Amino acid sequence: MAASVAAAAGRLRRAIGRSCPWQQFSTESRSPHAAAVRDTFLSFFRDRHGHQLVPSASVRPRGDHSLLFVNAGMNQFKPIFLGTVDPRSEMAGFRRVANSQKCVRAGGRHNDLEDVGRDLSHHTFFEMLGNWAFGGEYFKEEACGMAWELLTQVYGIPEDRLWVSYFGGDTKTGLAPDLETRDVWLSLGVPASRVLSFGLQENFWEMGDTGPCGPCTEIHYDLAEGVGAPQLVELWNLVFMQHCREAGGSLQPLPQRHVDTGMGLERLVAVLQGRRSTYDTDLFSPLLSAIHQVSPPQPQRHCYFSRVCAPLCMCVCVHTHSLILRRILRRAVRFSTEVLRAPPGFLGSLVPVVVETLGAAYPELQKNSAQIASLVSEDEAAFLASLQRGRRIIDRTVKRLGPSDLFPAEVAWSLSLSGNLGIPLDLVELMLEEKGVQLDTAGLEELAQKEAQHRAQQAEPVPEEGLCLDVHTLEELHRHGVPPTDDSPKYNYSLQPNGDYEFGLCEAQVLQLYSEDGTAVASVGAGQRCGLLLDRTNFYAEQGGQASDRGYLVRTGQQDVLFPVARAQVCGGFILHEAVATECLQVGEQVQLYVDEAWRMGCMVKHTATHLLSWALRKTLGPTTEQRGSHLNPERLRFDVATQAPLTTEQLRTVESYVQEAVRQDKAVYMEEVPLAHTAHVPGLRSLDEVYPDPVRVVSVGVPVAHALAPDSQAALQTSVELCCGTHLLRTGAMGDLVIIGGRQLVKGITRLLAITGEQAQQARELGQSLSQEVEAARERLSRGSQDLQEAHQLSKDIGRLTEVIDSALMPQWQRQELQTTLKMLQRRANTAIRKLEKGQAAEKSQELLKRHSEGPLIVDTVSVESLSALVKVVRQLCEKAPSMSVLLLSPQPSGSVLCACQVSQAAMPTLTAEAWALAVCSHMGGKAWGSRVIAQGTGHTADLEAALGTARAYALNQL
C-alpha cells in the first residue's frame, strides 16, 4: 500500500507541476450558472456556518505599497494578520467572514499576464472565493470540514474525484509535517492514497519575506475521471496561519492563529459546468460571443487571441489606472485589430457586456460603466494611431537589418511607454518575435537602467522607516490589557480672539519603552533613540495623508530637560512616539507633551486646503471626480485626482478661484464624531476606499455636521463634507491663499497636483505676475522688429531663458501653462525673423564671396556669421549661384570656436565628398563634423585660421 501511494505521489507531483489539461474534462455534469455558484458559496458560509459577508475591496490596494493590485482575497485583511487593525473599526470585530474578491495578477510578485491565452486556465482578472477565521475562531478541523461539505454535499462533486495535499515538513528549517491536517482529511473519509504530502514550495504559504505564514492544504480535482494517471487541477487552497517569519528568516509561533482560504471562481465553475476550459463557462461566453459577432472563430490561433482579449477587457473595467493595465489594454487593442480585424472602438463596446455579466456581484461596475467605457475607448483610439506609426517604423528598420542583426535598442525604446509612442516593450518584442527578429535586450537593459537612474534623481525622497510594533509586540500589549492610546487630546486646540491658535497641554504616563530594534525595555539612557508608548497623547500620528506631528516632551516638574520627538506612528490603535533620550527615562514616569506649534499649524492649513481643493475639483470637473491619494506637510500638499484628461488652464484657474472665495468668506470648519452608519447614505459625502473607525470623524466646511448629515440635507453636494481623522483649521481664513504650482499625469486618467498656501502662495502669485510682465516685454520687443541679426539672436536667447525660468518657477500652474503657450508662439516668431534675416545676410555675403572667387573649382574662405545655420545658408546660396564650385567656409566665433560648413558640386563627386572634407578640416581644428556626401558641417577650435583654410584647400585639391 505504501509503495502504491508513493508511486501515486510521484505521478501527482509531476501532474501538478504541468499546465492543467482541461481538454480532457468531462462534459456530462450539470451546469449551474456562475452567479448561482458564487451565491451558493456565500450563502453556505453565511447561513450554515455564521460567516459575515463582506464586499469585495477595490483592486487598488488600501495603503499597501507592496502590491500593484489586490491579487488575493486576503489582501484587505492584512491589518488583522499583522495585528495593526484599528480597534475602533468594523474590521477589528471580524471573527468569521466570507466574500468574493476581484483580483488582478499582472505585474509584481504574482504575475499571470504572460500565461494568459497560452493555456486554458490563466487569467489576469479573476474572482477569488474565500472564507476566513480570525484569532482562532476555528482552525484546521472546521475549515477542512466546511470545504469538504461544500464541495461534495452542496456542489455535488464526487468524492472520488477529489485529492488533497498537505505540508510534509522541511528538514532544513526544522518544520514538522502537518500531521494534524492529514488526520483531519483521513477522518473525513478521504482515502490515504489521495492524501499526499508536499514541501515548502507547494504547501507552505507566506505573505512576504516577513510576516504571518503557515502550512496550507490544497484540494485538487481529477480531470481524468479515474482513467489512467490522475490529471489534477488545484481547486481550493486552505492556509493555516500559525507562524511568523522574522526579519532574520527564523520562524516564531503566531500569537493568534487564522484561517485564510481561496478558491478561484472560474475554475470551480468550469468543474461544475463540465467545460473544457474556464473560458467556456458562462462567465466568459457572453463576452466571447460579442467578440465572435465581429470576427467568427476559426483556427485555434484565432481562439487564442479571443481568450486574450476577453479577460484583458475585464481587467480594464475594474476602474483602475496604471501602466500595467495600459499594457493589458494595448495588447488587447493590437490583437483585436490585427487578428480579429475588429473596427475601432471595439473594446469600448465590450464594456456593457462585462458590466451585465458582473454588475450584480460588483455594483461599482454599473456605477462607473460610462466612465470605464469612455476611458477604454479613448485609450484604444490613441493607441491605434501610435500602433500604426510603430508598425511602419518596425517594418522600415527590419528591412535595413542583416540576417543576424539585432533590432536596435534605441528604436525599440523610442517606440515604448518610456519613449515617444507608448507601445509596451513586451508588445514590441512580441511583434519582432512574429517577424523572426531578435531584440537587442542588452542595449535595452542599459537604456532602462539610465531611465531608472534619471527617475530616481527626480523622485521624491523616501521617508526613513521608523520604529514599528510587530505582531508579537502588539499581542503582548493586548495580553497585558494595555488599552489603545487615547489620542483625543490632539484635537484639543482653540482659536483665540486675536486669530492665534492655542494648543492644549497633555500630561501622560510612560507605559512602555522600546529600544531602536523594537525590544521592550524598562528604561533608556542618554543619547538613545527609542520608542515611547504613552497612555494618552496630543501628537497626531501619520495617517490619512497627513504628516506626523513633531515636538518634545518633558518630565512632569522638570521643564528644563527636553526629549525631542521626531514623529508618531499609529499601530493597531497604539501611538508610538519616536524620541531621543537626553537623560535616562523609565517606564511609569509622568511626562508632558508639547507639539511643534508651527509644524502643526502648517499641517492644519494644508489639510483644510486639501479638503477645499477636493471640493473645488468636484465643483469644476463634475460630482463624480474622485480623489486617488494625497499627502501633506507644512511645506506643500500633493493631491492625486482621477481625470479624463490633464486639467486645462481655465480649469486650474477656476479651481483656485473657488478655494480663494471660501478663504475670503472665512468659513467655519466643523468637526464631530458620529456613528459610521449615519454617514452611509449622505448625498455628496466624500470618503475614500478605506477602513474607517466607528464612530468616525466628519469635517464640514461652513455647515454644522448635524445639518450636513440630516436625511434631507443637500449640504454635502454644495460644500466640503468628508470623513477625516486629520487636524484642521477652525476657520478657513487662516489659509490665506492657495496656489496650484504643479500638475502632471501620473498615468492615463490620474493627475497629480501640487499646491502651496499662505505667504508662499502670495509669493508665487507675485512671481507669476513678474514673469508675465517679462513675457509681455519680450512680445513688445519682437513686435518692434529688428534688422540686426545679432539683436534677433539675443531676443531668441532671452525667450529661451525665460522659458526655462517659467518651466521651473514656483508660480501658479495655470499661469505657467498660459505663459508657456505664449512663449512657444514668440519663439516661433523669433526663429522666423532670424531665418529671414539670415537669408538676407546670406545673399549679401555670398555675393561678396563670388566677387572674390570668380574663377576656379573651389571657394575656401572665412565669413562672419552668428550661427551654424546662417553659415549653411551662405554655403547653399553660393552653390546655387555657382553650381560648378565646391564651397567650404569657416566662421570664427567670439567664444573661440570655429564653425565650418561645406558643399561639393556634382562634378566633384565621388572623389570629393562633403562629409569627408568637413571631417578633415574639423579634425585639424580638434573638433567634429557630420553630414552627407553633398553637404556637411562641423565645429572646432583654432587660433590659426589660415592653417585651417590651407588644410581645406589642400585636401580638396588632392581629392580632385
Side-chain angles (χ1 to χ4, degrees), residues 330-344:
R330 291 178 173 204
R331 186 180 281 194
V333 170
R334 177 174 178 257
F335 292 154
S336 64
T337 55
E338 295 187 359
V339 179
L340 302 180
R341 306 295 179 189

Side-chain angles (χ1 to χ4, degrees), residues 447-708:
L447 290 172
Q449 288 178 355
K450 289 180 181 177
E451 172 75 6
Q453 290 171 358
H454 177 68
R455 287 184 178 176
Q457 291 170 355
Q458 293 187 325
E460 296 181 10
V462 178
E464 178 187 352
E465 282 195 22
L467 299 177
C468 189
L469 303 180
D470 63 23
V471 65
H472 299 290
T473 304
L474 291 168
E475 179 59 26
E476 185 77 9
L477 291 170
H478 290 307
R479 189 163 58 248
H480 285 88
V482 179
T485 309
D486 174 13
D487 63 346
S488 59
K490 68 188 178 186
Y491 300 125
N492 184 17
Y493 55 90
S494 58
L495 180 59
Q496 301 304 301
N498 63 357
D500 292 339
Y501 278 78
E502 183 176 286
F503 296 89
L505 174 70
C506 179
E507 295 201 4
Q509 182 182 21
V510 180
L511 299 181
Q512 186 62 63
L513 291 166
Y514 297 94
S515 63
E516 199 164 351
D517 64 1
T519 303
V521 293
S523 64
V524 291
Q528 188 174 348
R529 182 167 170 257
C530 62
L532 294 93
L533 194 62
L534 311 173
D535 61 343
R536 61 202 307 265
T537 182
N538 57 350
F539 275 65
Y540 183 87
E542 181 161 357
Q543 55 188 316
Q546 179 177 332
S548 160
D549 275 339
R550 59 190 190 186
Y552 64 93
L553 58 87
V554 299
R555 288 193 188 91
T556 301
Q558 190 179 358
Q559 299 294 317
D560 57 337
V561 180
L562 308 183
F563 294 78
V565 178
R567 77 177 96 184
Q569 296 189 74
V570 62
C571 197
F574 298 100
I575 308 296
L576 186 68
H577 304 73
E578 291 185 37
V580 176
T582 48
E583 285 188 358
C584 179
L585 188 66
Q586 297 181 338
V587 170
E589 291 194 88
Q590 296 290 323
V591 295
Q592 293 176 333
L593 293 93
Y594 297 85
V595 297
D596 182 328
E597 295 184 4
W599 179 274
R600 162 67 78 85
M601 190 68 193
C603 287
M604 288 163 54
V605 166
K606 293 299 187 300
H607 209 148
T608 303
T610 301
H611 282 215
L612 288 177
L613 178 59
S614 178
W615 160 76
L617 283 164
R618 293 200 311 278
K619 190 170 180 180
T620 302
L621 304 178
T624 60
T625 303
E626 293 185 21
Q627 177 181 338
R628 289 300 172 82
S630 67
H631 188 268
L632 64 98
N633 60 34
E635 295 301 315
R636 65 182 60 185
L637 68 88
R638 184 189 73 211
F639 191 92
D640 298 342
V641 59
T643 58
Q644 295 281 9
L647 271 70
T648 66
T649 300
E650 191 55 41
Q651 286 172 334
L652 287 167
R653 192 203 298 256
T654 301
V655 167
E656 279 189 14
S657 69
Y658 285 141
V659 176
Q660 283 181 300
E661 179 62 17
V663 172
R664 188 188 64 79
Q665 293 177 3
D666 193 24
K667 293 185 175 183
V669 180
Y670 299 93
M671 289 163 277
E672 186 179 328
E673 284 195 345
V674 301
L676 185 61
H678 289 183
T679 69
H681 305 291
V682 178
L685 176 69
R686 197 192 67 81
S687 62
L688 298 176
D689 182 26
E690 295 178 355
V691 177
Y692 287 98
D694 190 5
V696 66
R697 195 168 180 82
V698 178
V699 178
S700 176
V701 176
V703 177
V705 171
H707 175 61

